[in-house]
Amino acid sequence: MRTVTIKTNGIGRYDDVSPFLVESGTLELKINLPNVQGEFFLVTELNGKNDGAKAIPRDGTVMLTGLAAGELHAAVKHYLRGDLIETYKIEPLLLKAVDTELSAMPEIALLTEKCEVLRKKTEELIKRITHAEERGAKAENRIQLVFEAFLAFAYSDYQTNVQLNAKSLTVEQFMLTLGFSAETFSEKELEIIKTFKEEL
């Protein structure tokens, strides 16, 4: 027997969310009913087929028969003097064929389990992306240093070479001539490049 606790403004949950067997397509449920007047009925739908309404006695025990693989939707309807007072939805139950029996699993518990697996995979993916971004940033820094060293050496050689230095290009002009963009180097980096010749 499985126990279901129904809630106002919420979805009824199975008290035990572990998978279980449904033998011979029969499932006995105990539904914890609120302590109010009126009649309670369990309505179920399996694979699009409505199984009608079953009266729930005051002890809350009701038997479902003829179950098959699929998704079982259920709700408890509360009537008072023939008027529908409230409908309590119950979480769907996933029924899977296992050999000659059915395996049942409350859907919210199953989705929670899947979400936890996805959460762990997402965390691992975030770690890998962060690591890749850090490595990429380090690689960019190294490339920038190589560019800076190359431009410093080339500009220093340009300045000291009388044949090449006919146009007397500034470091900014020289940088553009070599194919670098104006945004490749910061002002601070350009100042370092300008003083490179003095350090040789």
Side-chain angles (χ1 to χ4, degrees):
M1 179 186 297
R2 291 284 153 158
T3 302
V4 177
T5 301
I6 58 175
K7 303 174 183 178
T8 301
N9 299 323
I11 191 163
R13 299 290 309 274
Y14 289 84
D15 289 358
D16 183 355
V17 297
S18 58
F20 59 94
L21 286 178
V22 177
E23 297 180 7
S24 304
T26 301
L27 174 60
E28 186 177 18
L29 292 177
K30 177 171 176 52
I31 301 172
N32 290 330
L33 298 173
N35 189 21
V36 293
Q37 292 183 343
E39 300 83 37
F40 292 87
F41 295 87
L42 178 68
V43 293
T44 59
E45 180 184 290
L46 178 61
N47 299 327
K49 181 183 176 185
N50 193 315
D51 197 29
K54 296 180 185 299
I56 305 173
R58 291 312 300 179
D59 69 357
T61 303
V62 64
M63 188 75 71
L64 300 178
T65 58
L67 297 178
E71 189 171 73
L72 178 68
H73 293 268
V76 173
K77 293 187 178 286
H78 176 205
Y79 289 87
L80 182 63
R81 291 188 287 275
D83 292 328
L84 178 62
I85 302 299
E86 190 163 1
T87 299
Y88 303 89
K89 291 184 177 180
I90 298 173
E91 71 174 305
L93 191 65
L94 298 176
L95 300 168
K96 294 182 180 180
V98 178
D99 296 328
T100 58
E101 301 294 342
L102 290 174
S103 171
M105 177 73 175
E107 188 173 43
I108 291 176
L110 181 63
L111 292 175
T112 301
E113 184 181 310
K114 287 183 177 179
C115 285
E116 181 62 17
V117 171
L118 289 174
R119 184 188 65 78
K120 288 180 180 177
K121 287 183 178 178
T122 301
E123 285 179 354
E124 181 61 30
L125 186 59
I126 288 171
K127 286 180 184 176
R128 290 170 65 183
I129 290 172
T130 302
H131 181 63
E133 287 176 346
E134 289 171 355
R135 289 178 62 192
K138 288 178 182 178
E140 285 181 7
N141 288 337
R142 285 195 295 269
I143 291 170
Q144 185 67 13
L145 289 173
V146 170
F147 282 168
E148 187 179 331
F150 169 75
L151 182 60
F153 181 80
Y155 188 63
S156 175
D157 185 55
Y158 168 75
Q159 287 181 303
T160 57
N161 191 316
V162 179
Q163 292 178 336
L164 294 176
N165 196 10
K167 295 184 179 179
S168 299
L169 298 176
T170 64
V171 68
E172 290 83 2
Q173 294 167 329
F174 184 73
M175 172 183 69
L176 296 175
T177 302
L178 290 180
F180 292 107
S181 70
E183 293 79 25
T184 303
F185 301 99
S186 66
E187 289 183 13
K188 184 178 179 181
E189 288 170 330
L190 288 175
E191 287 302 316
I192 293 171
I193 291 167
K194 288 176 185 177
T195 61
F196 181 77
K197 184 179 77 126
E198 299 168 8
E199 296 173 4
L200 289 176

